[in-house]
Amino acid sequence: MYGRRHRVIVDVALGARTYPIYIEAGLIDNAAAVIMPFVRGGRLAVVTDSNVAALYLDRFAAGLPGVALAPIVLPPGEGTKDWQHLQLVVERLLALGVERSDAVVALGGGVIGDLAGFACSVLRRGCRFVQVPTSLLAQVDSSVGGKTAINAAAGKNLVGAFHQPAAVLIDPQVLATLPPRELRAGYAEVVKYGLINDADFFAWCEAHGASMLAGDTAAQTHAIAHCCRAKAAVVAADERETDDIRALLNLGHTFGHAFEAAAGFSDLLLHGEAVALGMALAHRFSARRGLCSPADAARVDAHLAAAGFVIRPAALGLDTNAADLVHHMRQDKKMSGGTLPFILSRRLGNSFVARDVAIQDVGDFLADELLASGVD
Ligand code: NAD
Ligand code: GLY
């Protein structure tokens, strides 16, 4: 079904800023048809990280004959999403003479997409950029929708901008080189699309998640296309997260960010792993409040645990407590008037924005969770 030259195109419908997502096996080696319209003066700046550069930069360049690539190669990892690397990227792009009407390519995972996208949002008050996501997480979520950011000492993604890409190029074949732990981390965001509002897709994940994680390209491509369509619809309906539509994509994130902060944004807990834990917690918390059934929460736990995620906070072995976790949550961008919206669940595949959650209740819940055994 997804032969080598089969191309799926999903539009993110934003009026004059509408842009295409191209999903096609082999696109990393054959990007000319979609990239050339963005090339001016025979030059193209590419922001990437050293892992991705070693694997794909030459191949990407080989598919663009006659184009001189100007690579900006950064260290891999969440630590790169900081002020220092933002400054470095902006200064390099200015030194390269990148102008507003030029497009910069972000070639890499969510770290590179978020950082390069933010750099492009401020460069000369905004230049164009093209996302070429290479991790599963970036292909199903972060490359689409225009959220760009770096982390600050106070927390994750606290400095950023909405800045939509001009196009997104996805080659599912590059997932073959993604480390298994990173593939699984991205899978958390795939499952998220089922849990938000699509119980049938959650059931698809239960049936096909294992083969996706084992490297089945057809299953991966199906999931990428499904998630991109779902995200494109959400972004078209609520680009700036003002109508409780896009906010649903934060399912698991408020819990997850607190644990990421407790882990010092380190490799102890990858973003997707934190989201998986957060989605399990959001469903258990929903069940505790009598919203979704304990059976639904248990089904979420079972699938995430089967995929290899840690779903019990105690099993992380972090040196943290409920008060610290609540403190991290209070730094969330979505805090408003001292309250924090939480994405909770009425039933599997039916999430909603709850604005009546006392943060003390969340603290009590987390204290109980931290006391519970880390063994399922
Ligand atoms: P990442 O960018 O750190 O990539 C994960 C690792 O995989 C890195 O070491 C990278 O070098 C490597 N890698 C990437 N592609 C590879 C490939 N094809 N082969 C081999 N190695 C490869 O992390 P991520 O999980 O892609 O993204 C996480 C970031 O995304 C977080 O900072 C998170 O906040 C952000 N995010 C943003 C949004 C958004 O809407 N903007 C949404 C979700 C997550
Ligand atoms: N990943 C959350 C969003 O794009 O809104």
Side-chain angles (χ1 to χ4, degrees), residues 137-183:
L137 183 142
Q139 295 188 344
V140 298
D141 194 355
S142 65
S143 66
V144 175
K147 279 190 181 175
T148 73
I150 58 169
N151 303 323
K156 196 169 160 58
N157 294 335
L158 291 184
V159 181
F162 285 97
H163 187 56
Q164 298 292 343
V168 182
L169 276 64
I170 298 176
D171 181 349
Q173 286 186 342
V174 302
L175 299 181
T177 56
L178 193 65
R181 185 180 172 199
E182 299 289 353
L183 187 68

mmCIF file of all heavy atoms in Angstrom, residues 137-183:
data_model
loop_
_atom_site.group_PDB
_atom_site.id
_atom_site.type_symbol
_atom_site.label_atom_id
_atom_site.label_comp_id
_atom_site.label_asym_id
_atom_site.label_seq_id
_atom_site.Cartn_x
_atom_site.Cartn_y
_atom_site.Cartn_z
ATOM 1 N N LEU A 137 8.515 10.882 17.112
ATOM 2 C CA LEU A 137 7.813 11.944 17.845
ATOM 3 C C LEU A 137 7.636 13.182 16.976
ATOM 4 O O LEU A 137 6.566 13.790 16.920
ATOM 5 C CB LEU A 137 8.571 12.289 19.133
ATOM 6 C CG LEU A 137 7.895 13.341 20.021
ATOM 7 C CD1 LEU A 137 8.070 13.001 21.492
ATOM 8 C CD2 LEU A 137 8.422 14.725 19.721
ATOM 9 N N ALA A 138 8.692 13.547 16.276
ATOM 10 C CA ALA A 138 8.613 14.745 15.441
ATOM 11 C C ALA A 138 7.708 14.506 14.230
ATOM 12 O O ALA A 138 7.000 15.413 13.790
ATOM 13 C CB ALA A 138 10.013 15.164 15.000
ATOM 14 N N GLN A 139 7.701 13.288 13.696
ATOM 15 C CA GLN A 139 6.883 13.009 12.506
ATOM 16 C C GLN A 139 5.397 12.987 12.823
ATOM 17 O O GLN A 139 4.580 13.311 11.965
ATOM 18 C CB GLN A 139 7.320 11.682 11.872
ATOM 19 C CG GLN A 139 8.739 11.732 11.318
ATOM 20 C CD GLN A 139 9.140 10.506 10.529
ATOM 21 O OE1 GLN A 139 8.494 9.465 10.610
ATOM 22 N NE2 GLN A 139 10.221 10.615 9.764
ATOM 23 N N VAL A 140 5.042 12.585 14.043
ATOM 24 C CA VAL A 140 3.609 12.491 14.358
ATOM 25 C C VAL A 140 3.096 13.701 15.127
ATOM 26 O O VAL A 140 1.895 13.838 15.324
ATOM 27 C CB VAL A 140 3.260 11.206 15.166
ATOM 28 C CG1 VAL A 140 3.596 9.968 14.365
ATOM 29 C CG2 VAL A 140 3.934 11.191 16.525
ATOM 30 N N ASP A 141 3.995 14.566 15.579
ATOM 31 C CA ASP A 141 3.501 15.635 16.441
ATOM 32 C C ASP A 141 4.255 16.953 16.283
ATOM 33 O O ASP A 141 3.747 17.930 15.745
ATOM 34 C CB ASP A 141 3.532 15.161 17.913
ATOM 35 C CG ASP A 141 2.718 16.069 18.835
ATOM 36 O OD1 ASP A 141 2.208 17.098 18.366
ATOM 37 O OD2 ASP A 141 2.589 15.752 20.020
ATOM 38 N N SER A 142 5.526 16.973 16.713
ATOM 39 C CA SER A 142 6.142 18.289 16.930
ATOM 40 C C SER A 142 6.408 19.072 15.644
ATOM 41 O O SER A 142 6.487 20.295 15.678
ATOM 42 C CB SER A 142 7.443 18.142 17.733
ATOM 43 O OG SER A 142 8.407 17.427 17.016
ATOM 44 N N SER A 143 6.559 18.390 14.499
ATOM 45 C CA SER A 143 6.883 19.135 13.266
ATOM 46 C C SER A 143 5.659 19.839 12.675
ATOM 47 O O SER A 143 5.790 20.688 11.804
ATOM 48 C CB SER A 143 7.473 18.182 12.219
ATOM 49 O OG SER A 143 6.494 17.243 11.812
ATOM 50 N N VAL A 144 4.482 19.467 13.163
ATOM 51 C CA VAL A 144 3.232 20.007 12.615
ATOM 52 C C VAL A 144 2.603 20.951 13.634
ATOM 53 O O VAL A 144 2.527 20.624 14.817
ATOM 54 C CB VAL A 144 2.249 18.851 12.303
ATOM 55 C CG1 VAL A 144 0.902 19.386 11.854
ATOM 56 C CG2 VAL A 144 2.840 17.918 11.259
ATOM 57 N N GLY A 145 2.188 22.115 13.198
ATOM 58 C CA GLY A 145 1.389 22.951 14.092
ATOM 59 C C GLY A 145 2.036 24.218 14.575
ATOM 60 O O GLY A 145 1.370 25.065 15.164
ATOM 61 N N GLY A 146 3.361 24.351 14.368
ATOM 62 C CA GLY A 146 3.979 25.655 14.585
ATOM 63 C C GLY A 146 4.302 26.036 16.006
ATOM 64 O O GLY A 146 4.607 27.196 16.274
ATOM 65 N N LYS A 147 4.247 25.084 16.952
ATOM 66 C CA LYS A 147 4.724 25.432 18.292
ATOM 67 C C LYS A 147 6.241 25.312 18.289
ATOM 68 O O LYS A 147 6.787 24.250 17.960
ATOM 69 C CB LYS A 147 4.144 24.483 19.347
ATOM 70 C CG LYS A 147 2.737 24.825 19.769
ATOM 71 C CD LYS A 147 2.337 23.988 20.979
ATOM 72 C CE LYS A 147 0.921 24.284 21.406
ATOM 73 N NZ LYS A 147 0.467 23.398 22.500
ATOM 74 N N THR A 148 6.915 26.386 18.636
ATOM 75 C CA THR A 148 8.379 26.380 18.672
ATOM 76 C C THR A 148 8.808 26.914 20.032
ATOM 77 O O THR A 148 8.103 27.739 20.614
ATOM 78 C CB THR A 148 8.972 27.277 17.577
ATOM 79 O OG1 THR A 148 8.776 28.653 17.931
ATOM 80 C CG2 THR A 148 8.353 27.007 16.217
ATOM 81 N N ALA A 149 9.933 26.453 20.536
ATOM 82 C CA ALA A 149 10.305 26.887 21.893
ATOM 83 C C ALA A 149 11.701 26.417 22.267
ATOM 84 O O ALA A 149 12.273 25.509 21.649
ATOM 85 C CB ALA A 149 9.310 26.332 22.914
ATOM 86 N N ILE A 150 12.208 27.075 23.314
ATOM 87 C CA ILE A 150 13.348 26.536 24.056
ATOM 88 C C ILE A 150 12.914 26.401 25.520
ATOM 89 O O ILE A 150 11.867 26.917 25.925
ATOM 90 C CB ILE A 150 14.601 27.448 23.955
ATOM 91 C CG1 ILE A 150 14.293 28.864 24.466
ATOM 92 C CG2 ILE A 150 15.146 27.469 22.539
ATOM 93 C CD1 ILE A 150 15.528 29.734 24.648
ATOM 94 N N ASN A 151 13.733 25.705 26.292
ATOM 95 C CA ASN A 151 13.469 25.551 27.718
ATOM 96 C C ASN A 151 14.136 26.691 28.490
ATOM 97 O O ASN A 151 15.124 27.270 28.024
ATOM 98 C CB ASN A 151 14.010 24.206 28.223
ATOM 99 C CG ASN A 151 13.407 23.034 27.449
ATOM 100 O OD1 ASN A 151 12.233 23.066 27.091
ATOM 101 N ND2 ASN A 151 14.209 22.021 27.191
ATOM 102 N N ALA A 152 13.599 27.007 29.650
ATOM 103 C CA ALA A 152 14.207 28.009 30.526
ATOM 104 C C ALA A 152 14.504 27.347 31.868
ATOM 105 O O ALA A 152 14.047 26.220 32.119
ATOM 106 C CB ALA A 152 13.248 29.179 30.717
ATOM 107 N N ALA A 153 15.263 28.033 32.706
ATOM 108 C CA ALA A 153 15.587 27.446 34.005
ATOM 109 C C ALA A 153 14.303 27.103 34.759
ATOM 110 O O ALA A 153 14.237 26.099 35.478
ATOM 111 C CB ALA A 153 16.444 28.422 34.812
ATOM 112 N N ALA A 154 13.252 27.893 34.572
ATOM 113 C CA ALA A 154 12.005 27.662 35.307
ATOM 114 C C ALA A 154 11.189 26.508 34.727
ATOM 115 O O ALA A 154 10.232 26.059 35.368
ATOM 116 C CB ALA A 154 11.165 28.939 35.318
ATOM 117 N N GLY A 155 11.500 26.042 33.547
ATOM 118 C CA GLY A 155 10.708 24.933 33.028
ATOM 119 C C GLY A 155 10.802 24.785 31.520
ATOM 120 O O GLY A 155 11.486 25.532 30.821
ATOM 121 N N LYS A 156 10.017 23.800 31.060
ATOM 122 C CA LYS A 156 10.117 23.354 29.678
ATOM 123 C C LYS A 156 9.289 24.220 28.734
ATOM 124 O O LYS A 156 8.158 24.585 29.049
ATOM 125 C CB LYS A 156 9.602 21.916 29.644
ATOM 126 C CG LYS A 156 9.963 21.152 28.422
ATOM 127 C CD LYS A 156 9.633 19.692 28.619
ATOM 128 C CE LYS A 156 9.539 19.023 27.274
ATOM 129 N NZ LYS A 156 10.755 19.128 26.489
ATOM 130 N N ASN A 157 9.859 24.532 27.581
ATOM 131 C CA ASN A 157 9.132 25.236 26.502
ATOM 132 C C ASN A 157 8.550 26.571 26.970
ATOM 133 O O ASN A 157 7.522 27.008 26.456
ATOM 134 C CB ASN A 157 7.983 24.365 25.960
ATOM 135 C CG ASN A 157 8.486 23.117 25.252
ATOM 136 O OD1 ASN A 157 9.614 23.097 24.757
ATOM 137 N ND2 ASN A 157 7.679 22.086 25.217
ATOM 138 N N LEU A 158 9.185 27.211 27.940
ATOM 139 C CA LEU A 158 8.593 28.437 28.498
ATOM 140 C C LEU A 158 8.899 29.672 27.660
ATOM 141 O O LEU A 158 8.313 30.732 27.884
ATOM 142 C CB LEU A 158 9.056 28.644 29.943
ATOM 143 C CG LEU A 158 8.495 27.619 30.940
ATOM 144 C CD1 LEU A 158 8.930 27.945 32.362
ATOM 145 C CD2 LEU A 158 6.974 27.561 30.868
ATOM 146 N N VAL A 159 9.815 29.560 26.715
ATOM 147 C CA VAL A 159 10.153 30.700 25.854
ATOM 148 C C VAL A 159 9.962 30.233 24.417
ATOM 149 O O VAL A 159 10.655 29.320 23.960
ATOM 150 C CB VAL A 159 11.620 31.134 26.069
ATOM 151 C CG1 VAL A 159 11.943 32.334 25.197
ATOM 152 C CG2 VAL A 159 11.888 31.428 27.535
ATOM 153 N N GLY A 160 9.000 30.821 23.724
ATOM 154 C CA GLY A 160 8.763 30.314 22.377
ATOM 155 C C GLY A 160 7.768 31.167 21.618
ATOM 156 O O GLY A 160 7.402 32.264 22.033
ATOM 157 N N ALA A 161 7.339 30.633 20.485
ATOM 158 C CA ALA A 161 6.424 31.378 19.616
ATOM 159 C C ALA A 161 5.623 30.384 18.784
ATOM 160 O O ALA A 161 6.068 29.254 18.557
ATOM 161 C CB ALA A 161 7.226 32.288 18.685
ATOM 162 N N PHE A 162 4.449 30.822 18.335
ATOM 163 C CA PHE A 162 3.758 30.083 17.289
ATOM 164 C C PHE A 162 4.339 30.557 15.965
ATOM 165 O O PHE A 162 4.299 31.757 15.655
ATOM 166 C CB PHE A 162 2.249 30.376 17.316
ATOM 167 C CG PHE A 162 1.513 29.707 18.440
ATOM 168 C CD1 PHE A 162 1.233 30.385 19.618
ATOM 169 C CD2 PHE A 162 1.092 28.388 18.318
ATOM 170 C CE1 PHE A 162 0.545 29.768 20.653
ATOM 171 C CE2 PHE A 162 0.402 27.760 19.353
ATOM 172 C CZ PHE A 162 0.129 28.453 20.518
ATOM 173 N N HIS A 163 4.903 29.655 15.215
ATOM 174 C CA HIS A 163 5.484 30.027 13.917
ATOM 175 C C HIS A 163 5.362 28.798 13.017
ATOM 176 O O HIS A 163 6.079 27.816 13.194
ATOM 177 C CB HIS A 163 6.963 30.424 14.118
ATOM 178 C CG HIS A 163 7.612 30.978 12.885
ATOM 179 N ND1 HIS A 163 7.119 32.059 12.192
ATOM 180 C CD2 HIS A 163 8.735 30.590 12.212
ATOM 181 C CE1 HIS A 163 7.904 32.322 11.159
ATOM 182 N NE2 HIS A 163 8.880 31.439 11.140
ATOM 183 N N GLN A 164 4.418 28.867 12.083
ATOM 184 C CA GLN A 164 4.133 27.683 11.265
ATOM 185 C C GLN A 164 5.235 27.442 10.232
ATOM 186 O O GLN A 164 5.750 28.402 9.651
ATOM 187 C CB GLN A 164 2.794 27.852 10.536
ATOM 188 C CG GLN A 164 1.587 28.001 11.450
ATOM 189 C CD GLN A 164 1.239 26.739 12.231
ATOM 190 O OE1 GLN A 164 1.704 25.630 11.883
ATOM 191 N NE2 GLN A 164 0.458 26.890 13.285
ATOM 192 N N PRO A 165 5.568 26.177 9.984
ATOM 193 C CA PRO A 165 6.494 25.891 8.890
ATOM 194 C C PRO A 165 5.836 26.150 7.534
ATOM 195 O O PRO A 165 4.610 26.284 7.447
ATOM 196 C CB PRO A 165 6.790 24.395 9.065
ATOM 197 C CG PRO A 165 5.599 23.853 9.768
ATOM 198 C CD PRO A 165 5.060 24.965 10.635
ATOM 199 N N ALA A 166 6.672 26.216 6.511
ATOM 200 C CA ALA A 166 6.153 26.399 5.153
ATOM 201 C C ALA A 166 5.815 25.051 4.513
ATOM 202 O O ALA A 166 5.044 24.989 3.552
ATOM 203 C CB ALA A 166 7.191 27.134 4.304
ATOM 204 N N ALA A 167 6.396 23.993 5.025
ATOM 205 C CA ALA A 167 6.109 22.633 4.551
ATOM 206 C C ALA A 167 6.731 21.653 5.543
ATOM 207 O O ALA A 167 7.633 22.023 6.304
ATOM 208 C CB ALA A 167 6.704 22.395 3.153
ATOM 209 N N VAL A 168 6.236 20.415 5.506
ATOM 210 C CA VAL A 168 6.792 19.350 6.356
ATOM 211 C C VAL A 168 7.065 18.154 5.450
ATOM 212 O O VAL A 168 6.177 17.738 4.693
ATOM 213 C CB VAL A 168 5.804 18.953 7.485
ATOM 214 C CG1 VAL A 168 6.413 17.887 8.379
ATOM 215 C CG2 VAL A 168 5.382 20.165 8.308
ATOM 216 N N LEU A 169 8.270 17.628 5.493
ATOM 217 C CA LEU A 169 8.653 16.479 4.658
ATOM 218 C C LEU A 169 8.949 15.300 5.573
ATOM 219 O O LEU A 169 9.885 15.366 6.374
ATOM 220 C CB LEU A 169 9.934 16.793 3.871
ATOM 221 C CG LEU A 169 9.845 17.561 2.556
ATOM 222 C CD1 LEU A 169 9.308 18.965 2.792
ATOM 223 C CD2 LEU A 169 11.219 17.634 1.914
ATOM 224 N N ILE A 170 8.185 14.234 5.422
ATOM 225 C CA ILE A 170 8.340 13.078 6.312
ATOM 226 C C ILE A 170 8.719 11.845 5.503
ATOM 227 O O ILE A 170 7.966 11.425 4.618
ATOM 228 C CB ILE A 170 7.034 12.802 7.084
ATOM 229 C CG1 ILE A 170 6.683 14.005 7.979
ATOM 230 C CG2 ILE A 170 7.159 11.531 7.919
ATOM 231 C CD1 ILE A 170 5.354 13.871 8.719
ATOM 232 N N ASP A 171 9.851 11.275 5.825
ATOM 233 C CA ASP A 171 10.263 10.007 5.235
ATOM 234 C C ASP A 171 10.230 8.941 6.332
ATOM 235 O O ASP A 171 11.130 8.880 7.181
ATOM 236 C CB ASP A 171 11.680 10.122 4.660
ATOM 237 C CG ASP A 171 12.135 8.821 4.000
ATOM 238 O OD1 ASP A 171 11.449 7.787 4.167
ATOM 239 O OD2 ASP A 171 13.189 8.839 3.329
ATOM 240 N N PRO A 172 9.220 8.070 6.336
ATOM 241 C CA PRO A 172 9.125 7.070 7.405
ATOM 242 C C PRO A 172 10.326 6.131 7.444
ATOM 243 O O PRO A 172 10.623 5.547 8.489
ATOM 244 C CB PRO A 172 7.845 6.299 7.068
ATOM 245 C CG PRO A 172 7.061 7.199 6.170
ATOM 246 C CD PRO A 172 8.079 8.001 5.404
ATOM 247 N N GLN A 173 11.040 5.986 6.319
ATOM 248 C CA GLN A 173 12.167 5.033 6.301
ATOM 249 C C GLN A 173 13.294 5.438 7.245
ATOM 250 O O GLN A 173 14.080 4.595 7.666
ATOM 251 C CB GLN A 173 12.708 4.891 4.876
ATOM 252 C CG GLN A 173 11.774 4.060 3.996
ATOM 253 C CD GLN A 173 12.369 3.784 2.625
ATOM 254 O OE1 GLN A 173 13.303 4.457 2.180
ATOM 255 N NE2 GLN A 173 11.819 2.799 1.945
ATOM 256 N N VAL A 174 13.398 6.731 7.572
ATOM 257 C CA VAL A 174 14.503 7.133 8.454
ATOM 258 C C VAL A 174 14.315 6.587 9.866
ATOM 259 O O VAL A 174 15.261 6.561 10.660
ATOM 260 C CB VAL A 174 14.706 8.671 8.503
ATOM 261 C CG1 VAL A 174 14.969 9.238 7.122
ATOM 262 C CG2 VAL A 174 13.536 9.380 9.179
ATOM 263 N N LEU A 175 13.103 6.115 10.172
ATOM 264 C CA LEU A 175 12.889 5.560 11.512
ATOM 265 C C LEU A 175 13.682 4.275 11.722
ATOM 266 O O LEU A 175 13.872 3.842 12.856
ATOM 267 C CB LEU A 175 11.388 5.306 11.750
ATOM 268 C CG LEU A 175 10.494 6.547 11.669
ATOM 269 C CD1 LEU A 175 9.042 6.180 11.944
ATOM 270 C CD2 LEU A 175 10.969 7.627 12.650
ATOM 271 N N ALA A 176 14.154 3.685 10.627
ATOM 272 C CA ALA A 176 14.936 2.439 10.748
ATOM 273 C C ALA A 176 16.196 2.646 11.570
ATOM 274 O O ALA A 176 16.711 1.700 12.177
ATOM 275 C CB ALA A 176 15.285 1.905 9.358
ATOM 276 N N THR A 177 16.723 3.867 11.598
ATOM 277 C CA THR A 177 17.961 4.105 12.350
ATOM 278 C C THR A 177 17.695 4.729 13.730
ATOM 279 O O THR A 177 18.631 4.984 14.486
ATOM 280 C CB THR A 177 18.905 5.051 11.574
ATOM 281 O OG1 THR A 177 18.196 6.271 11.280
ATOM 282 C CG2 THR A 177 19.388 4.416 10.294
ATOM 283 N N LEU A 178 16.445 4.998 14.025
ATOM 284 C CA LEU A 178 16.131 5.622 15.315
ATOM 285 C C LEU A 178 16.338 4.596 16.429
ATOM 286 O O LEU A 178 15.840 3.477 16.331
ATOM 287 C CB LEU A 178 14.669 6.097 15.296
ATOM 288 C CG LEU A 178 14.215 7.030 16.397
ATOM 289 C CD1 LEU A 178 14.945 8.375 16.334
ATOM 290 C CD2 LEU A 178 12.700 7.264 16.305
ATOM 291 N N PRO A 179 17.068 4.952 17.495
ATOM 292 C CA PRO A 179 17.246 3.976 18.588
ATOM 293 C C PRO A 179 15.883 3.520 19.123
ATOM 294 O O PRO A 179 14.941 4.323 19.205
ATOM 295 C CB PRO A 179 18.009 4.782 19.645
ATOM 296 C CG PRO A 179 18.712 5.862 18.888
ATOM 297 C CD PRO A 179 17.788 6.207 17.740
ATOM 298 N N PRO A 180 15.770 2.229 19.486
ATOM 299 C CA PRO A 180 14.468 1.695 19.923
ATOM 300 C C PRO A 180 13.837 2.501 21.060
ATOM 301 O O PRO A 180 12.614 2.685 21.088
ATOM 302 C CB PRO A 180 14.811 0.272 20.389
ATOM 303 C CG PRO A 180 16.045 -0.085 19.624
ATOM 304 C CD PRO A 180 16.808 1.182 19.405
ATOM 305 N N ARG A 181 14.651 2.995 21.970
ATOM 306 C CA ARG A 181 14.067 3.772 23.080
ATOM 307 C C ARG A 181 13.410 5.053 22.559
ATOM 308 O O ARG A 181 12.357 5.484 23.048
ATOM 309 C CB ARG A 181 15.162 4.095 24.110
ATOM 310 C CG ARG A 181 14.601 4.777 25.335
ATOM 311 C CD ARG A 181 15.676 5.114 26.361
ATOM 312 N NE ARG A 181 15.124 5.939 27.420
ATOM 313 C CZ ARG A 181 15.836 6.684 28.243
ATOM 314 N NH1 ARG A 181 17.165 6.692 28.137
ATOM 315 N NH2 ARG A 181 15.244 7.412 29.169
ATOM 316 N N GLU A 182 14.040 5.682 21.550
ATOM 317 C CA GLU A 182 13.473 6.909 20.976
ATOM 318 C C GLU A 182 12.210 6.595 20.168
ATOM 319 O O GLU A 182 11.259 7.385 20.157
ATOM 320 C CB GLU A 182 14.503 7.612 20.083
ATOM 321 C CG GLU A 182 15.768 8.064 20.774
ATOM 322 C CD GLU A 182 15.557 9.256 21.722
ATOM 323 O OE1 GLU A 182 14.451 9.817 21.747
ATOM 324 O OE2 GLU A 182 16.511 9.600 22.441
ATOM 325 N N LEU A 183 12.225 5.441 19.479
ATOM 326 C CA LEU A 183 11.031 5.043 18.726
ATOM 327 C C LEU A 183 9.852 4.878 19.685
ATOM 328 O O LEU A 183 8.744 5.361 19.440
ATOM 329 C CB LEU A 183 11.315 3.730 17.979
ATOM 330 C CG LEU A 183 10.236 3.258 17.015
ATOM 331 C CD1 LEU A 183 10.120 4.197 15.816
ATOM 332 C CD2 LEU A 183 10.519 1.840 16.525
#
